């Protein structure tokens, strides 16, 4: 959108066989996402192909032409329920995904030019139709940038999460079970940084008990603390 008109649509569909859960014949989950690099303005679109390892992505440089589709071999698994988010102070992009090929989740960082080696967590639960529990959001404190990834593991209760600090490899964190705690399996969620407070973000969690919880993550330096807003 130029401010006056749309332009730049790809000449053909980027994908014709998106990842699906199990034997479903139509998508029942979001196996694609897009975001802009904050400094360059380049657009990244990423998606999973059904029954195929490794997501695909394409980049459209700001003001330029669409690039070629690339297979992201560093991202390990079929992209079935994925989410990406851009750092507000760099061209880094955080990626999280849970595949329907077993209970695996993946976490990685785009440096601005390439995907880093993905981290594969094999303790995730098996996703079902309608799942959308994977979320990633950035917190910034000065020059520190921390990506927070939330997902659902095979144990009920608590917030399951990873972090990547200043572009480092994502690492698992201890489940947050502070009251009121997420009690059932994490089935869907949403994350949003707080306007005017780059070191804070709100995360909503819906669980298998049909409950919804709202939690606040705050970054101080490189440390993240969860609280009730």
């Amino acid at each position: 959108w130029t401010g006056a008109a749309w332009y730049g649509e790809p000449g053909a569909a980027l994908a014709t066989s998106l990842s699906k859960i199990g034997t479903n014949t139509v998508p029942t989950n979001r196996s694609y996402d897009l975001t802009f690099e904050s400094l360059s303005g380049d657009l990244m679109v990423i998606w999973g192909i059904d029954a195929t390892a490794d997501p695909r992505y394409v980049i459209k440089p700001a003001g330029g032409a669409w690039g070629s589709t690339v297979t992201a071999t560093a991202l390990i698994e079929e992209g079935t329920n994925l989410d990406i988010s851009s750092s507000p102070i760099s061209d880094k992009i955080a990626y999280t995904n849970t595949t329907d090929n077993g209970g695996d989740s993946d976490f990685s960082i785009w440096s601005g030019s390439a995907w880093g080696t993905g981290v594969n967590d094999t303790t995730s639960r098996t996703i079902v139709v309608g799942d959308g529990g994977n979320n990633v959001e950035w917190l910034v404190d000065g020059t520190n940038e921390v990506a927070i990834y939330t997902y659902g593991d095979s144990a009920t209760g608590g917030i399951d999460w990873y972090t990547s600090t200043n572009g480092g490899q994502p690492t698992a964190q201890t489940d947050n079970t502070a009251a009121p705690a997420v009690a059932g399996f994490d089935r869907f969620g949403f994350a949003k940084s707080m306007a005017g407070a780059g070191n804070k973000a709100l995360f909503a969690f819906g669980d298998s008990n049909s409950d919804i919880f709202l939690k606040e993550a705050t970054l101080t330096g490189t440390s993240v603390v969860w609280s009730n807003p």
Side-chain angles (χ1 to χ4, degrees):
W1 177 253
T2 64
W6 292 102
Y7 82 103
E9 181 180 359
L14 293 177
T16 57
S17 183
L18 287 173
S19 177
K20 309 173 193 65
I21 294 177
T23 59
N24 285 282
T25 58
V26 296
T28 56
N29 50 290
R30 186 162 63 85
S31 55
Y32 57 88
D33 203 0
L34 59 83
T35 192
F36 289 91
E37 292 181 341
S38 292
L39 302 186
S40 72
D42 293 352
L43 169 66
M44 174 181 286
V45 184
I46 190 167
W47 64 92
I49 300 295
D50 201 37
T52 303
D54 309 322
R56 281 22 176 198
Y57 71 94
V58 64
I59 292 176
K60 184 182 185 300
W66 288 93
S68 300
T69 297
V70 180
T71 300
T73 56
L75 301 186
I76 307 172
E77 302 272 7
E78 178 183 339
T80 308
N81 175 209
L82 60 82
D83 190 43
I84 60 175
S85 178
S86 299
S87 166
I89 63 171
S90 73
D91 283 337
K92 297 182 182 70
I93 296 172
Y95 166 93
T96 181
N97 167 63
T98 297
T99 180
D100 73 329
N101 295 325
D104 292 1
S105 290
D106 309 309
F107 311 91
S108 187
I109 291 287
W110 171 262
S111 68
S113 59
W115 287 107
T117 301
V119 175
N120 182 236
D121 188 313
T122 60
T123 67
S124 299
R125 58 175 172 73
T126 301
I127 59 175
V128 298
V129 170
D131 269 359
N134 290 339
N135 293 281
V136 59
E137 187 58 275
W138 289 84
L139 301 180
V140 172
D141 185 20
T143 60
N144 291 310
E145 49 186 349
V146 175
I148 299 180
Y149 311 80
T150 62
Y151 69 108
D153 67 16
S154 57
T156 57
I159 299 171
D160 312 310
W161 59 304
Y162 273 65
T163 61
S164 168
T165 301
N166 296 325
Q169 190 171 51
T171 56
Q173 305 298 317
T174 302
D175 287 6
N176 183 281
T177 56
V182 178
F185 289 113
D186 180 15
R187 289 301 189 195
F188 59 89
F190 185 76
K192 191 70 173 177
S193 61
M194 296 174 64
N199 69 324
K200 296 178 181 289
L202 292 177
F203 288 75
F205 301 93
D207 68 12
S208 53
N209 296 329
S210 298
D211 299 326
I212 188 167
F213 300 86
L214 189 64
K215 299 290 183 177
E216 180 178 308
T218 301
L219 176 68
T220 302
T222 57
S223 299
V224 177
V225 174
W226 290 96
S227 62
N228 298 314

